[in-house]
Amino acid sequence: EVQLVESGGGLVQPGGSLRLSCAASGFTVSSSWMTWVRQTPGKGLEWVANINQDGSAKNYVDSVKGRFTISRDNAKNSLYLQMNSLRAEDTAVYYCVRDGIWGQGTMVTVAS
Amino acid sequence: DIQMTQSPSSLSASVGDRVTITCRASQGIRNDLGWYQQKPGKAPKRLIYAASSLQSGVPSRFSGSGSGTEFTLTISSLQPEDFATYYCLQSNSYPFTFGGGTKVEIK
């Protein structure tokens, strides 16, 4: 069964950092583009970033450029999102996505 | 960025009704569009990809159509389990962008 499991969310102060992880099973991450999507509580969805199969191509929404870094470790079959200089508006549930398959999400709260 | 305008933002319908949701793109996106269903507290689930291709395991009452700038998701006969929020997503140009969502409620 194809499954994605996110971890690493939590409460962080403005200006702080978090690293989200996404562990894949049932398929190899090296075979697919991988994506992070977030959802602000009670609101809509926002595409955040994606990365190609070998990590040579990365794309970001403007609001996170220079602060977030997407990466992958094909040997560990995992996807990551390093989030620096966090702001209150980054508070959201973060989902790991592969070609229509979504993880359950991990909550990130940025507050003092 | 490509803006995706989804309408209506909400609708009330009865079981058995035919429901249509529309997404309009601010510029042409060929058929690079997907439709997603989200229920409260759950991750979204993809229903349609490439504008009109049904995701494996999704009931055939769901269908998608359109190309260029105008797209529709149709539920031919609404079932109790279809009450949810629906989103479109364009994957033609970066950054990919979602529509604002359509909440389908019970009349």
Side-chain angles (χ1 to χ4, degrees):
Chain A
E1 180 190 7
V2 173
Q3 193 172 13
L4 297 166
V5 179
E6 302 95 335
S7 60
L11 174 64
V12 61
Q13 292 188 337
S17 298
L18 275 179
R19 188 195 195 208
L20 305 184
S21 299
C22 171
S25 59
F27 75 102
T28 55
V29 295
S30 59
S31 65
S32 304
W33 281 79
M34 298 292 295
T35 300
W36 287 99
V37 172
R38 66 185 179 183
Q39 185 166 34
T40 309
K43 294 196 177 176
L45 298 162
E46 181 178 41
W47 180 91
V48 174
N50 70 358
I51 185 170
N52 72 344
Q53 288 87 336
D54 64 4
S56 62
K58 303 176 185 181
N59 299 281
Y60 299 91
V61 68
D62 282 352
S63 59
V64 309
K65 280 181 183 175
R67 301 188 300 122
F68 290 12
T69 302
I70 189 171
S71 64
R72 63 197 302 156
D73 185 332
N74 290 341
K76 294 184 178 180
N77 216 30
S78 293
L79 177 72
Y80 305 99
L81 187 67
Q82 177 66 43
M83 304 186 296
N84 298 332
S85 302
L86 282 161
R87 306 167 180 167
E89 54 265 35
D90 296 317
T91 295
V93 175
Y94 285 74
Y95 293 101
C96 170
V97 184
R98 174 251 181 180
D99 194 27
I101 306 297
W102 295 57
Q104 85 288 349
T106 187
M107 182 71 204
V108 172
T109 303
V110 184
S112 54
Chain B
D1 298 2
I2 295 177
Q3 307 303 315
M4 301 300 297
T5 303
Q6 195 171 332
S7 61
S9 56
S10 65
L11 65 90
S12 295
S14 301
V15 172
D17 284 354
R18 182 181 182 88
V19 169
T20 299
I21 298 168
T22 297
C23 257
R24 288 188 174 85
S26 59
Q27 62 191 72
I29 59 170
R30 302 183 306 182
N31 70 336
D32 298 325
L33 185 111
W35 288 99
Y36 294 80
Q37 177 194 66
Q38 187 178 33
K39 296 181 179 180
K42 300 292 188 181
K45 170 188 173 184
R46 190 168 70 176
L47 305 174
I48 301 287
Y49 63 95
S52 59
S53 296
L54 192 66
Q55 184 77 26
S56 176
V58 172
S60 58
R61 63 181 179 273
F62 292 94
S63 64
S65 65
S67 182
T69 61
E70 188 153 340
F71 302 85
T72 58
L73 172 71
T74 299
I75 310 172
S76 60
S77 178
L78 198 66
Q79 298 301 300
E81 61 268 30
D82 301 336
F83 292 95
T85 301
Y86 294 83
Y87 296 92
C88 61
L89 168 67
Q90 71 82 14
S91 55
N92 178 265
S93 300
Y94 291 113
F96 296 170
T97 44
F98 286 91
T102 296
K103 187 173 184 178
V104 177
E105 299 176 302
I106 302 172
K107 183 182 284 185

